[in-house]
Amino acid sequence: QVQLVESGGGLVQPGGSLRLSCVGSGNIFSVNTWAWYRQAPGEQRELVASINSRGFREYLDFVKGRFTISRDSAKNTLYLDMNSLKPEDTAVYYCNVDYGWYPGEFDVWGQGTQVTVSS
């Protein structure tokens, strides 16, 4: 059974930085896309950043230039480096992996990690 476990969340002051990690276990084969999503209270879940099998990265406009997504395929680990954090970045951050022989065949989510940006 494939599982994703996020870590690295916490309380940080505006302007600060955090690094989120997501470790995947189980038979994760032929990854199509790794991604980070977030959900703030009362809001819908939104895509923050993604990286596909070719290394192409996409970002939510609000985080461009501040967040960087990266992966270590050998370790099935995904990262999100977050800099210049703003109170609006406060949310639960979720890791997601889309894997299999075609996009959408398997779609797994982590349990989420809370990020709070506040002074």
Side-chain angles (χ1 to χ4, degrees):
Q1 182 178 357
V2 171
Q3 291 186 323
L4 303 178
V5 178
E6 301 102 330
S7 62
L11 173 64
V12 62
Q13 292 187 343
S17 299
L18 282 175
R19 181 179 231 206
L20 305 184
S21 299
C22 170
V23 179
S25 61
N27 187 22
I28 302 175
F29 65 95
S30 189
V31 172
N32 298 300
T33 305
W34 284 98
W36 287 100
Y37 287 75
R38 69 186 183 187
Q39 187 168 19
E43 302 290 333
Q44 290 189 335
R45 190 172 297 190
E46 63 181 356
L47 177 64
V48 176
S50 65
I51 181 168
N52 69 11
S53 59
R54 298 183 179 184
F56 179 74
R57 295 169 170 84
E58 291 191 282
Y59 295 95
L60 180 70
D61 283 348
F62 187 70
V63 308
K64 284 181 180 177
R66 300 188 296 122
F67 290 12
T68 302
I69 189 171
S70 60
R71 71 180 190 275
D72 184 334
S73 298
K75 297 181 179 179
N76 276 338
T77 301
L78 182 71
Y79 303 99
L80 185 67
D81 289 295
M82 306 186 293
N83 298 308
S84 303
L85 282 161
K86 305 177 181 183
E88 298 90 333
D89 294 316
T90 295
V92 178
Y93 284 70
Y94 298 90
C95 174
N96 172 266
V97 64
D98 175 338
Y99 70 100
W101 301 118
Y102 54 86
E105 180 179 11
F106 300 104
D107 187 51
V108 178
W109 294 86
Q111 83 289 348
T113 185
Q114 176 70 47
V115 172
T116 303
V117 185
S118 174
S119 55

